[in-house]
């Protein structure tokens, strides 16, 4: 029941009383008892109606009180949210004079809350940015808004910091902008992170460029070094061929050493050249069909004398119904030479076995097994990383660049295959190369 309804109710009671009074005035004495009865009945009804109205009014009062309390609690909640919000909240006039501010805003601006009231916000903006700030403020007064507007804030006492401002204008009924609501967030940490990312990006670009130059330099140097090495190897081979006729044994021995060292050096130079080409993405595959069983046998024969020098058995087992493969023969030969040379290098007694087999209709595998020093489980993944030589004391004296497996791994991946290794320290290792029988042409182009 609202106030109007209650007034209506009162009027009704008043009218009834008026009617009764009028009837009393107009009645004869003889009619009084009946009048009295009617009056009492009217009075009882009116009293009852009044009581109901009063009860409704009381209930409404209670509801009103409870609503008032809820509204007050909500107001208090919003006030607290405003007060303790982590970002600075400010309300200014349309001309930017501060009228309200929460604690965070006072903290950010480095001034006590009560001194903040009535101050123009612009005095907390760094000198260099005030002009731009004024221009934006004029636009905001026209009714615009801003999101994440980055400014440099100069607090009263502290050093400048980067802040992001979000501003909305508040209009009155005549659609005139009367105030502005501001959110101010300290974005120093974000700015620093952005700056770091920019620096890292720049460093990354510089590193990439340095790496490219390094690869270019290596490719150039290796090429330049290979030419004289070929002359050294060629001429020492010529000298050795004539040794029976002209060379005394001591000199023949020296020439043999020159030849061996020359070959070793040439191998290392070639590895560096290959690696730098792979790094620079300048190594292309030369695809053709070839007999993989024949390739395995040729390669093994090439290295047999090395194995014999160490009295190692060298076995081949070819279980291929169809030995035809379409891939890069020279690169697969290079990978096999590297794996077999390593097997010989790291095996002092026992045997080296090569097994070629069909994994499926379209995949073949060649495994190189040795009974050598083996590789620790924890080192198995590292051996494919460039310049990585394990257990330095054991392997350093064996020479090498630490590039052979890195190159083999990359070459095999270029050939759409993969190299797997299994090993037991002290018992030997098995390196297995898996290849597609036919390299998909479009994949080769992509790689
Ligand atoms: P390196 O030119 O030093 O032989 P590789 O990349 O071919 O370089 O080999 C890297 C390292 O992996 C070797 O130095 C050696 O420690 C280990 N390794 C490779 N093959 C074998 C193997 N068959 N048995 C034991 N260790 C091996």
């Amino acid at each position: 029941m609202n106030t109007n309804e209650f007034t209506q109710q009162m009027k009704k009671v008043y009218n009834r009383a008026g009617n009764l009074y009028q009837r009393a005035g107009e009645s004869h004495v003889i009619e009084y008892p009946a009048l009295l009865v009617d009056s009492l009945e009217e009075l009882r009804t009116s009293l009852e109606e009044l009581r109901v109205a009063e009860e409704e009014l009381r209930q409404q009062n209670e509801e009103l009180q409870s609503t008032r309390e809820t509204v007050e609690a909500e107001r208090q909640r919003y006030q607290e949210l405003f007060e303790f919000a982590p970002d600075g909240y400010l309300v200014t006039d349309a001309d930017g004079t501060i009228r309200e501010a929460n604690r965070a805003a006072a903290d950010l601006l480095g001034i006590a809350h009560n001194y903040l009231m009535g101050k123009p916000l612009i005095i907390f903006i760094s000198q260099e940015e005030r002009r731009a700030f004024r221009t934006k403020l004029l636009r905001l007064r026209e009714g615009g808004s801003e999101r994440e507007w980055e400014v440099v804030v100069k607090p009263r006492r502290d050093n400048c910091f980067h802040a992001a401002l979000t501003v909305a204008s508040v209009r009155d009924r005549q659609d005139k902008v009367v105030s502005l609501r501001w959110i101010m967030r300290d974005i120093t940490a974000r700015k620093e992170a952005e700056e770091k990312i920019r620096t890292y990006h720049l460093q990354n670009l510089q590193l990439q460029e340095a790496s490219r130059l390094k690869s270019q330099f290596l490719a150039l140097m290796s090429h330049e070094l290979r030419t004289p090495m070929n002359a050294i190897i060629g001429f020492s081979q010529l000298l050795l061929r004539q040794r029976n006729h002209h060379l005394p044994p001591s000199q023949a021995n020296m020439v043999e050493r020159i030849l061996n060292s020359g070959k070793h050096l040439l191998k290392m130079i070639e590895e560096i050249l290959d690696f730098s080409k792979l790094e620079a993405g300048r190594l292309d595959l030369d695809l053709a069909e070839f007999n993989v069983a024949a390739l395995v046998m040729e390669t093994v024969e090439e290295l047999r004398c090395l194995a014999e020098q160490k009295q190692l058995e060298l076995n081949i087992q070819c279980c291929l119904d169809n030995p035809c493969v379409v891939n890069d023969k020279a690169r697969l030969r290079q990978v096999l030479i590297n794996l077999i040379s390593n097997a010989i290098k790291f095996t002092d007694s026992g045997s080296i076995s090569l097994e070629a087999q069909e994994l499926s209709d379209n995949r073949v595998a060649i495994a190189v097994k040795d009974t050598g020093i083996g590789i620790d489980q924890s080192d198995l993944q590292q051996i494919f990383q460039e310049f990585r030589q394990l257990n330095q004391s054991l392997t350093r004296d064996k020479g090498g660049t630490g590039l052979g497996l890195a190159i083999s791994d990359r070459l095999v991946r270029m050939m759409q295959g993969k190299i797997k290794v299994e090993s037991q320290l002290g018992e030997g290792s098995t390196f297995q190369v898996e290849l597609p029988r036919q390299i998909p042409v479009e994949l080769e182009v992509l790689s």
Side-chain angles (χ1 to χ4, degrees):
M1 180 181 275
N2 57 32
T3 328
N4 265 350
E5 285 168 344
F6 186 71
T7 315
Q8 290 297 322
Q9 201 68 35
M10 285 301 289
K11 266 189 190 154
K12 267 202 234 159
V13 174
Y14 183 79
N15 286 343
R16 280 201 189 108
N19 287 342
L20 276 175
Y21 185 74
Q22 201 179 349
R23 272 180 68 195
E26 291 163 359
S27 303
H28 302 287
V29 178
I30 193 124
E31 295 167 334
Y32 276 8
L35 187 64
L36 197 64
V37 170
D38 283 355
S39 304
L40 281 173
E41 186 52 31
E42 278 288 315
L43 204 61
R44 201 186 61 77
T45 314
S46 299
L47 277 175
E48 184 55 27
E49 281 175 359
L50 269 178
R51 205 189 55 74
V52 170
E54 190 190 62
E55 176 60 19
E56 281 184 11
L57 209 62
R58 197 186 54 75
Q59 270 178 15
Q60 279 182 0
N61 264 343
E62 274 173 14
E63 276 167 26
L64 202 67
Q65 182 60 22
S66 140
T67 312
R68 224 180 250 144
E69 279 167 12
T70 315
V71 169
E72 176 57 21
E74 277 294 285
R75 200 195 61 77
Q76 187 67 27
R77 202 165 74 86
Y78 280 110
Q79 183 64 29
E80 279 170 14
L81 281 176
F82 177 79
E83 267 309 300
F84 301 111
D87 291 335
Y89 282 92
L90 295 141
V91 179
T92 67
D93 289 347
D95 63 3
T97 307
I98 299 170
R99 294 296 169 210
E100 278 181 63
N102 68 352
R103 287 177 195 209
D107 288 349
L108 285 172
L109 300 177
I111 182 169
H113 185 266
N114 49 332
Y115 291 123
L116 204 53
M117 300 304 119
K119 299 265 182 324
L121 183 56
I122 197 166
I123 63 168
F124 298 100
I125 301 298
S126 74
Q127 280 290 351
E128 302 75 47
E129 294 195 357
R130 285 194 187 169
R131 210 191 162 108
F133 185 89
R134 237 178 248 118
T135 314
K136 279 233 170 121
L137 196 59
L138 284 177
R139 270 220 299 276
L140 287 165
R141 279 166 71 171
E142 306 287 297
S145 66
E146 281 293 337
R147 285 194 78 81
E148 295 291 307
W149 161 24
E150 291 187 11
V151 292
V152 176
V153 170
K154 170 73 190 90
R156 198 48 172 271
R157 282 178 292 273
D158 299 328
N159 293 332
C160 290
F161 67 89
H162 289 276
L165 299 177
T166 296
V167 200
S169 45
V170 181
R171 294 160 185 273
D172 64 8
R173 287 177 188 212
Q174 283 76 47
D175 210 26
K176 185 169 164 268
V177 173
V178 281
S179 63
L180 298 168
R181 289 193 185 133
W182 305 71
I183 303 175
M184 180 182 283
R185 187 152 20 95
D186 183 350
I187 53 164
T188 312
R190 191 181 89 192
K191 280 273 162 194
E192 280 170 5
E194 279 171 6
E195 191 52 41
K196 267 193 195 143
I197 290 173
R198 243 196 311 277
T199 317
Y200 289 150
H201 185 65
L202 201 72
Q203 282 173 354
N204 196 10
L205 286 180
Q206 286 166 347
L207 282 175
Q208 274 177 18
E209 178 60 8
S211 164
R212 196 188 61 79
L213 288 176
K214 182 206 73 186
S215 301
Q216 208 177 28
F217 171 78
L218 276 178
L220 206 80
M221 281 313 291
S222 318
H223 187 74
E224 291 299 314
L225 289 170
R226 211 159 47 148
T227 318
M229 282 318 298
N230 282 328
I232 293 170
I233 291 169
F235 284 120
S236 41
Q237 273 168 339
L238 259 180
L239 274 174
L240 278 180
R241 250 180 247 148
Q242 301 171 357
R243 86 172 128 185
N244 293 338
H245 313 291
H246 307 290
L247 278 183
S250 61
Q251 286 183 9
N253 186 272
M254 282 188 229
V255 177
E256 218 160 277
R257 282 198 194 179
I258 295 175
L259 180 63
N260 286 339
S261 304
K263 279 185 181 166
H264 185 63
L265 203 57
L266 186 62
K267 183 175 170 280
M268 295 211 292
I269 292 168
E270 261 158 7
E271 278 186 352
I272 294 174
L273 181 63
D274 275 346
F275 185 71
S276 47
K277 272 193 191 158
L278 278 165
E279 280 272 272
R282 291 213 316 260
L283 199 136
D284 297 319
L285 294 182
D286 185 8
L287 301 181
E289 185 178 301
F290 61 93
N291 183 322
V292 73
L295 176 73
V296 170
M297 278 188 255
E298 278 163 35
T299 318
V300 166
E301 286 322 310
E302 225 175 287
L303 295 169
R304 188 171 288 285
C305 64
L306 270 185
E308 281 169 358
Q309 277 167 20
K310 292 180 83 177
Q311 272 108 47
L312 298 172
E313 253 182 59
L314 197 47
N315 311 312
I316 307 176
Q317 211 182 331
C318 264
C319 323
L320 294 164
D321 289 335
N322 173 9
C324 283
V325 164
V326 178
N327 217 312
D328 189 323
K329 183 178 172 188
R331 291 298 171 188
L332 179 57
R333 185 174 161 277
Q334 183 181 349
V335 171
L336 291 179
I337 287 184
N338 181 46
L339 296 181
I340 303 170
S341 323
N342 273 352
I344 299 173
K345 190 157 69 169
F346 296 109
T347 305
D348 290 329
S349 64
S351 62
I352 319 285
S353 320
L354 265 95
E355 282 175 26
Q357 55 169 318
E358 261 147 4
L359 292 179
S360 65
D361 281 352
N362 46 20
R363 279 189 96 72
V364 294
I366 306 159
V368 181
K369 286 187 184 178
D370 66 54
T371 54
I373 58 170
I375 302 163
D376 196 278
Q377 296 300 307
S378 58
D379 292 328
L380 279 180
Q381 283 315 310
Q382 295 178 29
I383 56 172
F384 293 103
Q385 290 169 12
E386 51 271 24
F387 308 111
R388 186 69 73 162
Q389 292 182 312
L390 304 176
N391 196 356
Q392 298 291 341
S393 57
L394 264 176
T395 53
R396 188 180 291 152
D397 58 327
K398 312 267 184 202
T401 51
L403 277 177
L405 283 180
I407 293 172
S408 300
D409 183 49
R410 290 196 190 198
L411 284 177
V412 172
R413 275 193 279 142
M414 266 185 88
M415 293 192 275
Q416 306 304 321
K418 57 183 173 197
I419 299 190
K420 290 197 289 197
V421 56
E422 282 174 12
S423 189
Q424 283 291 323
L425 206 55
E427 288 183 20
S429 317
T430 303
F431 286 80
Q432 177 170 283
V433 178
E434 258 184 60
L435 285 178
R437 186 176 289 284
Q438 178 151 14
I439 186 166
V441 176
E442 67 281 14
L443 280 182
E444 194 272 324
V445 171
L446 279 178
S447 69

